[in-house]
Amino acid sequence: MRKIKADEITKIVKNLCMETNYYLPEDILDHLKKGLKKETSPLGKKTIEIMLKNAEIAAREKIPLCQDTGIVVVFVEVGQEVVIVNGDLEKAINEGVRQGYIEGYLRKSVVSDPLFERKNTNNNTPPVIYTRIVSGNRLKITLLPKGAGSENMSKIAMLKPSDGIKGVKEFIIQTVKEAGPNPCPPVIVGVGIGGSFEKCAFLAKKALLRKIGEHNTDGRYARLERELIKEINNLGIGPQGFGGKITALAVNIEYFPCHIASLPVAVNLQCWVSRHKQIEI
Amino acid sequence: MREKIRLNTPFSDRDIEKLKIGDEILLTGIIYTARDMAHKRIVESIEKNEPLPFNLKGQVIYYTGPAPARPGRIIGSAGPTTSYRMDPYTIPLIKAGLKGMIGKGPRSKCVIDVMAKYKAVYFAAIGGAAAFISEKIKKARIIAYEDLGPEAIWELEVEDFPVILINDIRGNDLYREGIKNYRR
């Protein structure tokens, strides 16, 4: 058995909250730069230039890239040989978010009740936590602060198996088209196909963690991803919706077996400020 | 594309009559922040004939909820939030004299029509470029609704604050027009 102290987890989460919000991941930076070369719209080009400048300022000044520092989504993989001591996992993660958002000068964007009071919790807790028990003695924490602009444009559909590939493609493209400028394009399109109602939404979220430029290891899904990004960029939405060629930086599909009568599809849109980072101990 | 246009706030009708969709504009002067909850309260005050946190005549509202300022900085990161959420509250504000709005994303047809009728314009700031934008803010103070936290109303003094004109006073919409040139 390997012991991991709860306060060590708190520290990791706290640092991840700050780092994800200050530093744009390298793969996003690279693909924005590539997009800048491909974009032919003058306004689109200027927009991407400002995005790159923004990333520079945020990193230099240690201030958030976007004022919407999101609700925190945490994926935890706990090795079954790990014992957490001096506290418990969820409390430790909560405390990390609280400290990170207060000490990091990040915006507190969480309300305690979605419908009635909508009172700000003032420390950005609670995060949304997904825990998975895996083999081994490691602990992996992945943090993804998710802004509402893109989250609000995300969609799920319970398609019929007969809708097939064509139906799935149409739903994904339609979701991006209807979202238009709102999710802050160029976007990352996370897609979950299969599983159950909630599983495909979870897969769509997880798809956002994949490195930009990498494709699904299954060639059929990889091909679908390539077709979709081409068609999405042909929509003409462009950076920030001002019109242009670069509407999406990636389409990432994750899939799971499903019921004989089902074809669930979820599209989780992510803005160009696609913040996430993983730490393994 | 035309040269960048420098514009001071507050606006007169003359200032905004000449603006066209796609124009790149640098704003200088005072603007006010307000988002969902602040809009709700302003509209309630208009309905009850109560005094407003600021006089809306000729003014510009920026849809943002800034991050807290790091010590030594004027304001935290402050980029635009999605504007359609403010659509249900916008019309009474325009009728009360509001001349400009800054946000991101399309407005409803109703709002665009009212902008044309009462002469008001809508600009986009670059969503997600909140650190960059915060450096265009030279002074900042909360003037109302402090209890709303990030949704309080701030008075911002901005200098060369970069925005793009989305809706002019003739009912045109850059989001509808811009896409046409690049759709394939």
Side-chain angles (χ1 to χ4, degrees):
Chain A
M1 282 302 193
R2 177 184 172 206
K3 287 179 183 169
I4 295 178
K5 286 182 185 157
D7 60 3
E8 194 178 342
I9 295 169
T10 295
K11 215 167 134 190
I12 289 169
V13 169
K14 172 187 164 178
N15 288 336
L16 283 175
C17 288
M18 294 196 236
E19 285 172 16
T20 49
N21 275 297
Y22 302 155
Y23 309 112
L24 196 63
E26 282 297 324
D27 58 332
I28 302 285
L29 275 172
D30 286 350
H31 279 76
L32 281 177
K33 285 175 190 163
K34 281 184 189 157
L36 182 60
K37 283 187 191 148
K38 281 191 215 156
E39 185 54 77
T40 52
S41 141
L43 212 45
K45 270 184 170 318
K46 285 181 190 179
T47 299
I48 298 176
E49 278 166 5
I50 289 181
M51 290 168 174
L52 293 169
K53 223 179 270 175
N54 185 67
E56 249 177 64
I57 295 170
R60 187 183 69 220
E61 302 295 329
K62 294 189 170 57
I63 57 174
L65 290 146
C66 180
Q67 81 290 343
D68 184 354
T69 49
I71 183 165
V72 178
V73 181
V74 192
F75 301 92
V76 197
E77 282 183 21
V78 190
Q80 60 189 15
E81 292 155 37
V82 170
V83 183
I84 291 153
V85 293
N86 300 342
D88 74 72
L89 181 66
E90 288 209 358
K91 277 188 190 146
I93 294 170
N94 265 276
E95 180 57 18
V97 170
R98 193 188 71 81
Q99 290 180 12
Y101 273 68
I102 291 174
E103 292 173 37
Y105 298 95
L106 304 176
R107 197 181 79 181
K108 288 68 174 179
S109 313
V110 174
V111 291
S112 56
D113 174 277
L115 193 55
F116 295 102
E117 252 197 316
R118 292 194 68 88
K119 197 172 178 299
N120 200 306
T121 61
N122 289 325
N123 54 26
N124 223 51
T125 65
V128 177
I129 304 171
Y130 298 105
T131 309
R132 201 173 147 218
I133 308 289
V134 296
S135 61
N137 65 356
R138 313 276 288 171
L139 177 75
K140 206 191 269 180
I141 300 177
T142 310
L143 196 119
L144 182 155
K146 188 69 172 70
S150 54
E151 193 75 353
N152 286 348
M153 295 294 119
S154 302
K155 276 192 178 161
I156 191 162
M158 302 304 283
L159 299 181
K160 299 186 294 295
S162 63
D163 291 326
I165 299 168
K166 188 167 172 277
V168 167
K169 280 178 82 173
E170 275 172 10
F171 176 68
I172 296 166
I173 292 168
Q174 193 56 28
T175 301
V176 177
K177 194 176 171 182
E178 278 174 22
N182 287 331
C184 283
V187 290
I188 290 96
V189 185
V191 179
I193 305 176
S196 48
F197 182 77
E198 84 293 349
K199 176 74 177 181
C200 78
F202 174 79
L203 290 173
K205 180 75 79 213
K206 270 215 122 167
L208 299 176
L209 299 172
R210 195 195 298 163
K211 202 172 166 195
I212 310 295
E214 281 177 9
H215 285 280
N216 196 300
T217 49
D218 183 318
R220 298 165 304 169
Y221 286 93
R223 199 174 323 121
L224 194 56
E225 289 170 350
R226 289 195 175 93
E227 286 167 15
L228 279 163
I229 191 151
K230 204 172 159 202
E231 289 183 44
I232 286 169
N233 284 333
N234 281 345
L235 290 171
I237 296 167
Q240 293 294 303
F242 300 147
K245 285 184 169 176
I246 310 296
T247 302
L249 297 178
V251 178
N252 298 339
I253 302 174
E254 297 294 332
Y255 67 93
F256 196 81
C258 72
H259 191 282
I260 48 173
S262 290
L263 178 51
V265 188
V267 179
N268 196 196
L269 292 178
Q270 174 68 299
C271 60
W272 67 273
V273 186
S274 175
R275 297 152 284 189
H276 57 86
K277 194 176 174 182
Q278 188 175 83
I279 295 280
E280 191 178 349
I281 57 167
Chain B
M1 195 176 296
R2 300 203 290 178
E3 284 290 293
K4 282 185 184 165
I5 298 166
R6 288 202 144 78
L7 208 57
N8 292 315
T9 62
F11 297 155
S12 67
D13 284 356
R14 269 193 73 172
D15 290 332
I16 54 176
E17 273 164 357
K18 61 189 177 196
L19 301 179
K20 291 195 185 76
I21 60 168
D23 277 349
E24 294 175 67
I25 295 151
L26 298 172
L27 293 176
T28 296
I30 299 287
I31 61 175
Y32 296 92
T33 76
R35 34 175 296 157
D36 309 56
M37 283 303 288
H39 271 77
K40 191 166 179 253
R41 287 195 190 174
I42 293 173
V43 170
E44 281 166 5
S45 292
I46 291 174
E47 281 166 359
K48 290 183 199 152
N49 250 326
E50 286 169 2
L52 303 181
F54 61 98
N55 185 348
L56 287 163
K57 287 234 164 13
Q59 297 299 345
V60 177
I61 288 181
Y62 179 26
Y63 303 147
T64 187
R70 215 175 242 292
R73 294 190 73 84
I74 293 159
I75 194 164
S77 297
T81 193
T82 316
S83 305
Y84 74 86
R85 297 195 317 271
M86 268 49 81
D87 283 352
Y89 305 114
T90 298
I91 292 169
L93 271 63
I94 294 175
K95 287 183 175 170
L98 184 70
K99 283 288 165 197
M101 294 152 279
I102 309 167
K104 67 174 174 84
R107 309 309 300 266
S108 69
K109 180 157 189 316
C110 280
V111 169
I112 294 172
D113 289 347
V114 171
M115 274 192 265
K117 190 173 174 195
Y118 289 86
K119 290 191 178 170
V121 290
Y122 169 58
F123 307 98
I126 307 294
F132 171 81
I133 291 171
S134 75
E135 303 217 317
K136 310 295 175 188
I137 300 168
K138 302 302 167 187
K139 278 184 191 166
R141 67 183 181 109
I142 293 176
I143 58 159
Y145 311 153
E146 198 161 358
D147 60 300
L148 293 181
E151 298 205 53
I153 294 187
W154 291 72
E155 183 187 81
L156 307 178
E157 197 179 315
V158 301
E159 203 178 290
D160 290 341
F161 186 98
V163 291
I164 311 287
L165 193 81
I166 300 294
N167 297 113
D168 61 18
I169 59 159
R170 288 166 287 275
N172 295 310
D173 188 348
L174 177 67
Y175 290 133
R176 275 209 310 264
E177 298 306 316
I179 202 170
K180 288 180 185 166
N181 301 323
Y182 299 94
R183 190 193 292 149
R184 285 196 289 171

